[in-house]
Amino acid sequence: MIPLSHFLTVSAVLFAIGLYGVLARKNAVIVLMGIEIMMNAANLNLIAFSRFLPANRLTGQLFALFGITIAAAEVAVGLALVIAIFRMVKTIEVDRIEKLKG
Amino acid sequence: MERLDQLFVLLKKIILQFAESFLPAPLLPFLSILVSITAIAIFAPLTMMYLTWLERKVIGRMQNRFGPNRVGIYGLLQPIADGIKMLTKEDVIPLGADRVTHFLAPVAVVVPSLLLFSVLPFGRNMTAVNLDIGLLFFIAVSSIGTLAIFMGGWASRNKFSLLGAMRAFAQMISYEVPLVLSVVTVVMIVGSLSTEKIVEAQSGWGGLRWFVFTPWGFVGFMLFFICSVSEVNRTPFDIPEGESEIVAGFHTEYSGMKFALFYMAEFLGAFAYSAMAATLFLGGWQGPLLPSWLWFGLKTFCLVFTMIWLRGTFPRFRVDQLMSYAWKFLFPMGLSNILAAGIWYHTPFPLSFIFATWILLLSFIGLSRLNPTGTRLERRTYRFAE
Amino acid sequence: MSYGLGILKGMSVTLKQFVESYTKKGSIVTVQYPEERREDVERFRNFPILVYDEKPEAPRCVACDICAKECPPKCITIVRDRDEQGRGLQKPKVFDIDLSVCMSCGICEEVCPFDAIFMDHQFELSAYDRMESLNYHQEKLLKPNSYLHQIRPTDATQIDAKLKAKEEAKKKTQPGTTA
Amino acid sequence: MELFFYLLATLTLLGALGAVLLKNLVHCALSLILFFAGIAGFYILLQAEFIAAVQILIYVGAVATLVLFAIMLTQNVIGETTLKGLGQNRWWALGISLVVITVLVRAIQHQTLPSFLPEGRVTTNEIGHTLVTTYVLPFEVISILLTGAMIGAIVVAMETKKNKQQATGDRRRT
């Protein structure tokens, strides 16, 4: 019987890995992947709590469902932006895209 | 009759009883799962082998020639000969390819198409894994196959296979949407995702309760079947491995056993999709006289035969026709099908059929009128290599 | 309202073919080669053969080398026979055709003024090594006129009639000039 | 049961680390897919099959495809996907994420968490039912959000006449 704390530690570690990915990587696509990993870690927490808490067990799963749809929409818009940036500036290195001129 | 109908279920019971004597008690549930897994693991490759044989015979006969008839009587040992040939062929890994993905791609293609079999209701209480979200599982697993094809195409690091992989990607995504829409109508009417309940909902009146006889069911069946032909990359939607344009598409660089796996995945997918089409719209294993698993086999065989028949008849789609057909015709048809099913569900009997057919006919004519057939590609503009 | 009927029409054609292949007698055209054989077609041409009238030593060929010059892949090699004093004879000493090169186009048969070379119907000539065993020498190429009659009756009779007519014409002019 | 948990945990952590650390972009994407599959495995362990199937359908089916398409579109040459690797501020990033891990794990240890498992399972039609009765407002808002995001993404990424010339133009200049 796996206690709840195990699930929480795993999702915490995953969240940290996602955070590291967002902060350390230069390529915009990998940054978006990092955000995806963080979103998934949060969803994992939701489902873990919905499994262990005796109160109405449904809300956790419902909010995880909403979390998944929002993450999907967010990735779609993020990648559209990345492609638009690539078309203009020919590079998607995050630290090179800081020129604000038109 | 009952014993014949439950033949395989009784067989499994006998095996379990026999194993009970020497196996410890907690292992029994694993054993029952193991038995159904081995049943599928034996059944799937066999059907795949004899589907290849069937395809070559039927297409041969359609082109006024015999199919394979040299190896064994009527060429029945031909699949075994093909298998041996595939095994003994040298396994070439191109220099530029990165080994890991090149090796993983065929595995990642076959595994989903085998997983599809676990949810199919082969007969009365003969579904391997009776999930209550069986249909959702079927669709989710079939979307993994698309990725594996991309892996294969990208890993072999040559222009043709990458082109094929990108084409496969675009095609399978844009045909998955109408597929899911046509499945939504059945789920909406039956009210459950489990394949068992869907089949039970179609029983009664000696087969007249099958969904295919309702207006929305017929259109849904057509949509599902067309989309499944394209999900499996078979003619007339086989652009990813269009032999004429891009050598062999995503499995150009594969030879020997790996190519056999790609080939196997295609046929397993074809069988699984036709079985699901039969379950959803033709009343799975419902049927008056014959045992249930025979009815399931007959219906799936007819659908697979139509897939092969399509292959013997139609030329290949152009890429832009393929895309516009999916988004401009099948997708709106799926939406109007859901509308028709909703109306059919809530109106009393005589009126429901009239309304539903009226809506569907209207949308069919309207969409066919809207989609100009015979559009030419606009003049190609050439950009010189920079 | 006829959207989609084209598809059904197309599919009905292939279905008809499929069903007919079982019912109609002549619809399957394949010939099961080793067991069944296609009947011989007169103008079928495979590799060339040399024809002799009575004795294999005196073939019709006079080693005029026209066919060797005309042969596109140049697979015919002819050496004229010489008698003791070294004068050329109207007979080839060496006449080789390299069957692995010959594309059985039949040009040698057309250009031959003496109707000495014809295209054979025999095509099962596989050999183990490419070089030596497919380079047919004169003995292998020579075939009696009767064989020609057997495989190409109409052409053979016409050619015999033509030869005979030439024979008389020569005999008629021959006594004239000697007298 | 514990065996599955540890197996899945290693699989998922490997996938996440691979997605973040690997040099070759497409390898990152493939390990991301491994990560998504691992998360779906966790959901099955937590008896949330519906969410696991939805996770596979949406993430492995669509999001990973989207990421791969983006990688393909933003790479000038196929295969040349090695990149300059990590940014120079990666030590800072490592420090911050370590701090985050210690804070979270400490919080989990001190918390008294329910350890017994309530019986009864959440069935799919229960989810469907509550989704359309008590949670109907967020359900509608989500559908609007999704359509908005979809149209927005298309408009942003679309190649219009204006920026089509820009795309080809740039390449000719550099």
Side-chain angles (χ1 to χ4, degrees):
Chain A
M1 220 299 292
I2 311 135
L4 180 57
S5 56
H6 288 218
F7 285 104
L8 297 189
T9 34
V10 167
S11 79
V13 171
L14 289 177
F15 186 84
I17 292 174
L19 187 65
Y20 176 74
V22 167
L23 296 177
R25 286 301 284 252
K26 286 171 60 174
N27 189 327
V29 178
I30 306 287
V31 169
L32 277 171
M33 277 196 213
I35 296 169
E36 255 334 282
I37 295 177
M38 288 154 80
M39 295 285 271
N40 266 319
N43 278 345
L44 184 61
N45 260 354
L46 280 172
I47 300 277
F49 274 112
S50 101
R51 174 78 179 90
F52 282 87
L53 292 184
N56 50 15
R57 306 254 315 290
L58 217 50
T59 44
Q61 298 204 356
L62 278 180
F63 274 89
L65 206 61
F66 292 147
I68 287 177
T69 34
I70 291 177
E74 177 262 333
V75 168
V77 175
L79 289 173
L81 285 174
V82 161
I83 291 169
I85 290 169
F86 178 78
R87 188 182 310 127
M88 248 181 304
V89 189
K90 275 301 144 299
T91 150
I92 41 171
E93 302 299 336
V94 174
D95 46 19
R96 282 230 216 102
I97 311 171
E98 79 283 352
K99 302 189 280 301
L100 279 182
K101 64 176 171 45
Chain B
M1 255 322 275
E2 192 48 39
R3 290 179 55 80
L4 188 64
D5 184 50
Q6 296 304 349
L7 183 68
F8 295 103
V9 179
L10 297 178
L11 201 66
K12 183 174 170 182
K13 229 181 242 84
I14 295 161
I15 296 173
L16 288 184
Q17 265 134 24
F18 170 71
E20 229 147 27
S21 51
F22 55 85
L23 266 182
L27 273 185
L28 273 185
F30 288 110
L31 185 73
S32 83
I33 296 169
L34 202 64
V35 164
S36 36
I37 288 172
T38 36
I40 289 181
I42 295 163
F43 172 73
L46 264 179
T47 37
M48 174 255 166
M49 276 157 58
Y50 281 95
L51 276 186
T52 46
W53 171 80
L54 180 77
E55 169 157 39
R56 288 172 64 176
K57 280 298 250 190
V58 163
I59 290 199
R61 286 281 169 168
M62 282 183 184
Q63 294 160 353
N64 294 350
R65 55 180 172 81
F66 298 110
N69 56 8
R70 285 282 158 204
V71 189
I73 42 159
Y74 297 117
L76 278 173
L77 300 181
Q78 182 68 33
I80 297 156
D82 288 349
I84 295 167
K85 177 195 81 177
M86 287 290 182
L87 281 174
T88 50
K89 273 261 176 70
E90 189 219 352
D91 220 345
V92 173
I93 299 181
L95 198 59
D98 63 61
R99 283 187 201 309
V100 174
T101 348
H102 188 79
F103 176 75
L104 273 181
V107 172
V109 167
V110 176
V111 162
S113 38
L114 270 175
L115 279 176
L116 295 179
F117 276 73
S118 64
V119 169
L120 292 176
F122 288 97
R124 187 167 290 112
N125 49 51
M126 264 165 71
T127 337
V129 179
N130 199 351
L131 286 172
D132 63 351
I133 48 159
L135 205 50
L136 189 62
F137 177 80
F138 184 89
I139 295 168
V141 160
S142 71
S143 70
I144 299 177
T146 332
L147 275 173
I149 286 185
F150 175 79
M151 262 164 72
W154 181 79
S156 30
R157 199 59 60 79
N158 84 16
K159 297 281 186 300
F160 290 129
S161 56
L162 187 69
L163 203 58
M166 293 311 278
R167 280 183 175 185
F169 239 176
Q171 169 185 333
M172 283 172 130
I173 292 169
S174 51
Y175 275 87
E176 207 168 317
V177 176
L179 185 90
V180 173
L181 285 180
S182 65
V183 163
V184 157
T185 49
V186 176
V187 172
M188 202 165 70
I189 298 292
V190 171
S192 133
L193 278 164
S194 102
T195 42
E196 282 295 317
K197 289 204 180 54
I198 289 172
V199 174
E200 264 134 34
Q202 297 177 42
S203 62
W205 301 353
L208 266 155
R209 283 282 301 284
W210 292 350
F211 286 145
V212 89
F213 296 127
T214 62
W216 56 271
F218 179 71
V219 169
F221 175 64
M222 284 298 149
L223 280 178
F224 189 89
F225 191 69
I226 292 171
C227 294
S228 59
V229 168
S230 103
E231 282 292 311
V232 166
N233 288 343
R234 281 182 65 82
T235 316
F237 299 99
D238 66 349
I239 296 213
E241 74 254 0
E243 290 76 17
S244 49
E245 305 104 32
I246 37 170
V247 184
F250 54 86
H251 44 73
T252 328
E253 296 293 343
Y254 284 90
S255 56
M257 203 44 208
K258 293 208 204 56
F259 178 72
L261 285 180
F262 273 108
Y263 202 55
M264 182 173 174
E266 185 196 331
F267 275 98
L268 287 182
F271 184 85
Y273 270 101
S274 344
M276 189 47 92
T279 323
L280 287 177
F281 295 98
L282 299 177
W285 37 265
Q286 305 281 0
L289 280 167
L290 301 170
S292 62
W293 43 272
L294 199 57
W295 267 114
F296 177 82
L298 270 178
K299 287 175 192 161
T300 325
F301 174 77
C302 292
L303 285 178
V304 170
F305 178 81
T306 355
M307 273 195 185
I308 297 171
W309 180 11
L310 283 176
R311 176 148 191 240
T313 326
F314 291 113
R316 192 170 292 122
F317 264 100
R318 235 188 12 228
V319 182
D320 65 320
Q321 284 168 343
L322 184 101
M323 286 303 148
S324 65
Y325 180 60
W327 289 108
K328 291 189 194 146
F329 182 78
L330 292 179
F331 180 64
M333 261 323 261
L335 292 179
S336 68
N337 195 16
I338 293 176
L339 176 69
I343 291 174
W344 183 86
Y345 187 72
H346 286 295
T347 47
F349 172 67
L351 227 51
S352 61
F353 272 76
I354 299 157
F355 273 160
T357 26
W358 182 65
I359 290 170
L360 289 175
L361 267 181
L362 199 70
S363 54
F364 178 75
I365 297 167
L367 285 171
S368 319
R369 191 75 41 84
L370 276 173
N371 281 326
T373 49
T375 48
R376 293 281 165 278
L377 276 172
E378 95 255 353
R379 234 180 55 72
R380 278 183 66 90
T381 55
Y382 290 94
R383 277 205 326 255
F384 300 104
E386 278 82 25
Chain C
M1 199 18 227
S2 72
Y3 304 103
L5 291 192
I7 295 177
L8 298 182
K9 215 181 302 129
M11 287 169 83
S12 63
V13 166
T14 31
L15 188 68
K16 193 162 70 65
Q17 291 300 334
F18 178 71
V19 168
E20 260 172 18
S21 69
Y22 287 102
T23 52
K24 199 150 77 101
K25 183 72 194 63
S27 87
I28 295 270
V29 289
T30 42
V31 172
Q32 299 294 336
Y33 167 62
E35 289 87 16
E36 302 153 23
R37 288 202 177 229
R38 186 187 289 274
E39 74 294 339
D40 235 353
V41 176
E42 187 172 340
R43 278 294 168 79
F44 176 76
R45 59 172 192 267
N46 200 0
F47 291 118
I49 50 168
L50 286 172
V51 171
Y52 63 86
D53 291 327
E54 295 83 22
K55 300 195 302 308
E57 287 71 27
R60 285 186 192 160
C61 169
V62 294
C64 61
D65 214 14
I66 291 178
C67 58
K69 290 195 192 69
E70 289 296 325
C71 173
K74 292 286 176 286
C75 64
I76 304 176
T77 48
I78 300 172
V79 175
R80 186 184 283 274
D81 199 356
R82 292 207 180 284
D83 58 5
E84 309 75 31
Q85 289 86 10
R87 281 196 319 279
L89 279 169
Q90 299 286 347
K91 202 155 71 60
K93 183 153 76 69
V94 165
F95 192 105
D96 291 357
I97 293 182
D98 184 349
L99 292 190
S100 58
V101 172
C102 167
M103 59 183 187
S104 57
C105 58
I107 288 178
C108 48
E109 180 184 335
E110 281 155 28
V111 298
C112 176
F114 300 97
D115 303 317
I117 189 165
F118 290 95
M119 303 307 278
D120 192 1
H121 288 184
Q122 231 283 337
F123 55 85
E124 281 129 343
L125 308 164
S126 53
Y128 279 103
D129 76 289
R130 269 190 309 200
M131 295 314 159
E132 193 28 50
S133 57
L134 275 180
N135 189 356
Y136 275 29
H137 303 300
Q138 195 170 351
E139 313 71 37
K140 270 214 193 124
L141 289 172
L142 280 168
K143 289 279 186 334
N145 194 6
S146 59
Y147 174 73
L148 191 65
H149 274 276
Q150 182 203 336
I151 54 173
R152 294 167 70 165
T154 48
D155 297 344
T157 43
Q158 268 166 15
I159 287 162
D160 285 357
K162 195 173 70 168
L163 284 179
K164 208 178 280 73
K166 214 157 62 167
E167 216 52 58
E168 274 86 30
K170 208 183 311 173
K171 221 179 269 57
K172 231 187 337 340
T173 51
Q174 202 65 25
T177 49
T178 50
Chain D
M1 278 303 270
E2 284 70 15
L3 172 70
F4 291 128
F5 174 77
Y6 290 120
L7 200 67
L8 270 178
T10 41
L11 189 82
T12 325
L13 287 175
L14 269 179
L17 278 172
V20 167
L21 298 178
L22 282 178
K23 293 185 74 56
N24 186 336
L25 271 183
V26 180
H27 285 189
C28 291
L30 296 183
S31 56
L32 188 74
I33 294 162
L34 191 67
F35 166 76
F36 289 148
I39 292 283
F42 271 123
Y43 291 159
I44 293 176
L45 256 180
L46 290 162
Q47 292 185 349
E49 288 88 7
F50 180 70
I51 306 291
V54 164
Q55 154 97 354
I56 291 183
L57 183 64
I58 292 185
Y59 275 108
V60 176
V63 171
T65 331
L66 207 60
V67 168
L68 282 169
F69 260 107
I71 291 173
M72 281 295 129
L73 284 174
T74 49
Q75 289 303 319
N76 317 42
V77 170
I78 63 166
E80 181 265 325
T81 46
T82 55
L83 69 170
K84 318 310 172 285
L86 311 171
Q88 64 280 22
N89 50 17
R90 63 179 182 279
W91 300 115
W92 284 102
L94 199 61
I96 292 168
S97 38
L98 285 180
V99 163
V100 163
I101 288 184
T102 40
V103 164
L104 288 177
V105 169
R106 173 92 33 66
I108 292 165
Q109 253 100 30
H110 289 314
Q111 202 56 28
T112 57
L113 297 166
S115 61
F116 66 92
L117 277 175
E119 338 60 38
R121 291 162 50 85
V122 177
T123 60
T124 340
N125 37 36
E126 252 175 55
I127 292 180
H129 193 66
T130 40
L131 200 57
V132 241
T133 46
T134 44
Y135 287 94
V136 84
L137 178 64
F139 185 69
E140 298 310 331
V141 166
I142 282 273
S143 60
I144 298 164
L145 179 127
L146 274 179
T147 25
M150 196 166 67
I151 296 166
I154 292 172
V155 165
V156 165
M158 201 167 57
E159 262 195 3
T160 55
K161 289 285 174 303
K162 191 170 62 54
N163 50 28
K164 188 167 196 166
Q165 189 277 336
Q166 196 179 30
T168 49
D170 283 4
R171 208 166 292 145
R172 188 158 297 126
R173 237 202 338 276
T174 49

Short mmCIF file of all heavy atoms in Angstrom, two decimals, chain A residues 42-70:
data_model
loop_
_atom_site.label_atom_id
_atom_site.label_comp_id
_atom_site.label_asym_id
_atom_site.label_seq_id
_atom_site.Cartn_x
_atom_site.Cartn_y
_atom_site.Cartn_z
N ALA A 42 1.73 18.94 -11.19
CA ALA A 42 0.59 19.47 -10.41
C ALA A 42 -0.61 18.53 -10.55
O ALA A 42 -1.26 18.16 -9.57
CB ALA A 42 0.23 20.86 -10.94
N ASN A 43 -0.86 18.07 -11.79
CA ASN A 43 -2.01 17.16 -11.98
C ASN A 43 -1.84 15.90 -11.16
O ASN A 43 -2.80 15.38 -10.58
CB ASN A 43 -2.12 16.79 -13.46
CG ASN A 43 -2.84 17.89 -14.21
OD1 ASN A 43 -3.47 18.74 -13.61
ND2 ASN A 43 -2.70 17.88 -15.52
N LEU A 44 -0.60 15.42 -11.10
CA LEU A 44 -0.36 14.19 -10.34
C LEU A 44 -0.74 14.41 -8.88
O LEU A 44 -1.40 13.57 -8.25
CB LEU A 44 1.13 13.80 -10.45
CG LEU A 44 1.52 12.48 -9.77
CD1 LEU A 44 0.76 11.34 -10.40
CD2 LEU A 44 3.01 12.25 -9.90
N ASN A 45 -0.39 15.61 -8.36
CA ASN A 45 -0.79 15.89 -6.97
C ASN A 45 -2.30 15.81 -6.81
O ASN A 45 -2.84 15.18 -5.90
CB ASN A 45 -0.32 17.31 -6.61
CG ASN A 45 0.96 17.26 -5.81
OD1 ASN A 45 1.40 16.16 -5.46
ND2 ASN A 45 1.53 18.40 -5.57
N LEU A 46 -2.99 16.44 -7.77
CA LEU A 46 -4.47 16.50 -7.66
C LEU A 46 -5.03 15.09 -7.58
O LEU A 46 -5.84 14.77 -6.71
CB LEU A 46 -5.02 17.23 -8.89
CG LEU A 46 -4.96 18.75 -8.85
CD1 LEU A 46 -5.35 19.31 -10.20
CD2 LEU A 46 -5.91 19.27 -7.78
N ILE A 47 -4.55 14.23 -8.49
CA ILE A 47 -5.13 12.89 -8.54
C ILE A 47 -4.76 12.13 -7.27
O ILE A 47 -5.60 11.42 -6.69
CB ILE A 47 -4.60 12.15 -9.79
CG1 ILE A 47 -4.97 12.88 -11.06
CG2 ILE A 47 -5.10 10.73 -9.83
CD1 ILE A 47 -6.34 12.60 -11.55
N ALA A 48 -3.53 12.33 -6.78
CA ALA A 48 -3.11 11.59 -5.57
C ALA A 48 -4.03 11.98 -4.41
O ALA A 48 -4.59 11.12 -3.72
CB ALA A 48 -1.65 11.91 -5.26
N PHE A 49 -4.27 13.29 -4.27
CA PHE A 49 -5.14 13.71 -3.14
C PHE A 49 -6.55 13.19 -3.35
O PHE A 49 -7.22 12.75 -2.41
CB PHE A 49 -5.14 15.24 -3.02
CG PHE A 49 -4.00 15.74 -2.18
CD1 PHE A 49 -2.97 16.46 -2.75
CD2 PHE A 49 -3.94 15.43 -0.84
CE1 PHE A 49 -1.91 16.90 -1.98
CE2 PHE A 49 -2.88 15.87 -0.05
CZ PHE A 49 -1.85 16.61 -0.64
N SER A 50 -7.01 13.20 -4.62
CA SER A 50 -8.40 12.75 -4.81
C SER A 50 -8.51 11.29 -4.45
O SER A 50 -9.58 10.80 -4.07
CB SER A 50 -8.80 12.96 -6.27
OG SER A 50 -8.72 11.71 -6.95
N ARG A 51 -7.39 10.54 -4.55
CA ARG A 51 -7.48 9.10 -4.23
C ARG A 51 -7.53 8.90 -2.72
O ARG A 51 -8.22 8.01 -2.23
CB ARG A 51 -6.24 8.40 -4.82
CG ARG A 51 -6.10 6.94 -4.45
CD ARG A 51 -7.03 6.10 -5.30
NE ARG A 51 -6.91 4.68 -4.98
CZ ARG A 51 -7.64 4.07 -4.05
NH1 ARG A 51 -8.57 4.74 -3.37
NH2 ARG A 51 -7.49 2.79 -3.79
N PHE A 52 -6.78 9.73 -1.98
CA PHE A 52 -6.62 9.40 -0.55
C PHE A 52 -7.64 10.11 0.32
O PHE A 52 -8.00 9.65 1.38
CB PHE A 52 -5.19 9.78 -0.09
CG PHE A 52 -4.18 8.76 -0.54
CD1 PHE A 52 -3.59 8.86 -1.79
CD2 PHE A 52 -3.86 7.69 0.26
CE1 PHE A 52 -2.68 7.90 -2.21
CE2 PHE A 52 -2.95 6.72 -0.16
CZ PHE A 52 -2.37 6.84 -1.40
N LEU A 53 -8.13 11.27 -0.08
CA LEU A 53 -9.04 12.00 0.84
C LEU A 53 -10.44 11.39 0.73
O LEU A 53 -10.94 11.22 -0.37
CB LEU A 53 -9.08 13.48 0.44
CG LEU A 53 -7.76 14.22 0.69
CD1 LEU A 53 -7.94 15.67 0.37
CD2 LEU A 53 -7.35 14.02 2.15
N PRO A 54 -11.06 11.07 1.89
CA PRO A 54 -12.38 10.41 1.83
C PRO A 54 -13.48 11.37 1.38
O PRO A 54 -14.52 10.94 0.94
CB PRO A 54 -12.62 9.96 3.27
CG PRO A 54 -11.81 10.88 4.11
CD PRO A 54 -10.61 11.25 3.28
N ALA A 55 -13.24 12.68 1.41
CA ALA A 55 -14.34 13.60 1.01
C ALA A 55 -14.68 13.33 -0.45
O ALA A 55 -14.11 12.44 -1.07
CB ALA A 55 -13.86 15.04 1.19
N ASN A 56 -15.59 14.16 -1.04
CA ASN A 56 -16.06 13.74 -2.39
C ASN A 56 -14.86 13.60 -3.31
O ASN A 56 -14.14 14.54 -3.62
CB ASN A 56 -17.09 14.74 -2.93
CG ASN A 56 -16.58 16.16 -2.83
OD1 ASN A 56 -15.39 16.37 -2.63
ND2 ASN A 56 -17.48 17.10 -2.91
N ARG A 57 -14.65 12.43 -3.73
CA ARG A 57 -13.40 12.00 -4.37
C ARG A 57 -13.31 12.48 -5.82
O ARG A 57 -12.34 12.27 -6.47
CB ARG A 57 -13.35 10.47 -4.37
CG ARG A 57 -13.53 9.87 -2.96
CD ARG A 57 -12.25 9.36 -2.47
NE ARG A 57 -11.57 8.61 -3.52
CZ ARG A 57 -12.01 7.41 -3.95
NH1 ARG A 57 -13.11 6.91 -3.47
NH2 ARG A 57 -11.35 6.78 -4.86
N LEU A 58 -14.35 13.18 -6.23
CA LEU A 58 -14.44 13.45 -7.68
C LEU A 58 -13.71 14.73 -8.05
O LEU A 58 -13.16 14.85 -9.14
CB LEU A 58 -15.95 13.61 -8.00
CG LEU A 58 -16.38 13.04 -9.34
CD1 LEU A 58 -15.87 11.64 -9.50
CD2 LEU A 58 -17.86 13.10 -9.45
N THR A 59 -13.69 15.70 -7.08
CA THR A 59 -13.20 17.02 -7.51
C THR A 59 -11.76 16.92 -7.99
O THR A 59 -11.39 17.50 -9.00
CB THR A 59 -13.24 17.96 -6.29
OG1 THR A 59 -12.73 17.23 -5.17
CG2 THR A 59 -14.65 18.39 -6.02
N GLY A 60 -10.93 16.10 -7.29
CA GLY A 60 -9.53 16.01 -7.73
C GLY A 60 -9.45 15.64 -9.20
O GLY A 60 -8.79 16.32 -10.01
N GLN A 61 -10.18 14.59 -9.57
CA GLN A 61 -10.06 14.12 -10.96
C GLN A 61 -10.60 15.16 -11.93
O GLN A 61 -10.04 15.39 -13.00
CB GLN A 61 -10.81 12.80 -11.09
CG GLN A 61 -10.21 11.73 -10.20
CD GLN A 61 -10.53 10.34 -10.70
OE1 GLN A 61 -11.26 10.18 -11.68
NE2 GLN A 61 -9.97 9.35 -10.05
N LEU A 62 -11.68 15.85 -11.52
CA LEU A 62 -12.26 16.84 -12.44
C LEU A 62 -11.26 17.96 -12.67
O LEU A 62 -11.01 18.38 -13.81
CB LEU A 62 -13.55 17.39 -11.85
CG LEU A 62 -14.77 16.50 -12.09
CD1 LEU A 62 -16.00 17.12 -11.48
CD2 LEU A 62 -14.95 16.30 -13.58
N PHE A 63 -10.65 18.40 -11.55
CA PHE A 63 -9.72 19.53 -11.75
C PHE A 63 -8.49 19.08 -12.54
O PHE A 63 -7.93 19.83 -13.34
CB PHE A 63 -9.35 20.14 -10.40
CG PHE A 63 -10.36 21.16 -10.00
CD1 PHE A 63 -11.48 20.81 -9.27
CD2 PHE A 63 -10.24 22.46 -10.46
CE1 PHE A 63 -12.45 21.74 -8.96
CE2 PHE A 63 -11.21 23.40 -10.13
CZ PHE A 63 -12.31 23.04 -9.39
N ALA A 64 -8.11 17.82 -12.36
CA ALA A 64 -6.99 17.33 -13.20
C ALA A 64 -7.41 17.39 -14.66
O ALA A 64 -6.63 17.81 -15.54
CB ALA A 64 -6.66 15.90 -12.82
N LEU A 65 -8.67 17.02 -14.93
CA LEU A 65 -9.15 17.08 -16.32
C LEU A 65 -9.05 18.51 -16.84
O LEU A 65 -8.50 18.78 -17.91
CB LEU A 65 -10.61 16.60 -16.34
CG LEU A 65 -11.11 16.00 -17.65
CD1 LEU A 65 -10.30 14.79 -18.01
CD2 LEU A 65 -12.58 15.64 -17.52
N PHE A 66 -9.56 19.47 -16.01
CA PHE A 66 -9.48 20.87 -16.46
C PHE A 66 -8.01 21.26 -16.65
O PHE A 66 -7.65 21.91 -17.65
CB PHE A 66 -10.13 21.79 -15.41
CG PHE A 66 -11.62 21.60 -15.32
CD1 PHE A 66 -12.28 21.75 -14.11
CD2 PHE A 66 -12.34 21.25 -16.45
CE1 PHE A 66 -13.66 21.58 -14.03
CE2 PHE A 66 -13.70 21.05 -16.37
CZ PHE A 66 -14.37 21.24 -15.17
N GLY A 67 -7.14 20.81 -15.71
CA GLY A 67 -5.71 21.15 -15.82
C GLY A 67 -5.14 20.66 -17.14
O GLY A 67 -4.42 21.39 -17.85
N ILE A 68 -5.53 19.43 -17.53
CA ILE A 68 -4.97 18.87 -18.78
C ILE A 68 -5.41 19.72 -19.96
O ILE A 68 -4.60 20.12 -20.81
CB ILE A 68 -5.46 17.41 -18.93
CG1 ILE A 68 -4.73 16.50 -17.92
CG2 ILE A 68 -5.23 16.91 -20.33
CD1 ILE A 68 -5.19 15.06 -17.96
N THR A 69 -6.71 20.09 -20.00
CA THR A 69 -7.16 20.86 -21.17
C THR A 69 -6.46 22.21 -21.22
O THR A 69 -5.98 22.63 -22.27
CB THR A 69 -8.68 21.08 -21.08
OG1 THR A 69 -9.02 21.24 -19.71
CG2 THR A 69 -9.43 19.94 -21.69
N ILE A 70 -6.33 22.83 -20.05
CA ILE A 70 -5.68 24.17 -20.08
C ILE A 70 -4.24 24.01 -20.54
O ILE A 70 -3.75 24.77 -21.39
CB ILE A 70 -5.76 24.79 -18.66
CG1 ILE A 70 -7.21 25.16 -18.36
CG2 ILE A 70 -4.88 26.02 -18.57
CD1 ILE A 70 -7.41 25.71 -16.98
#
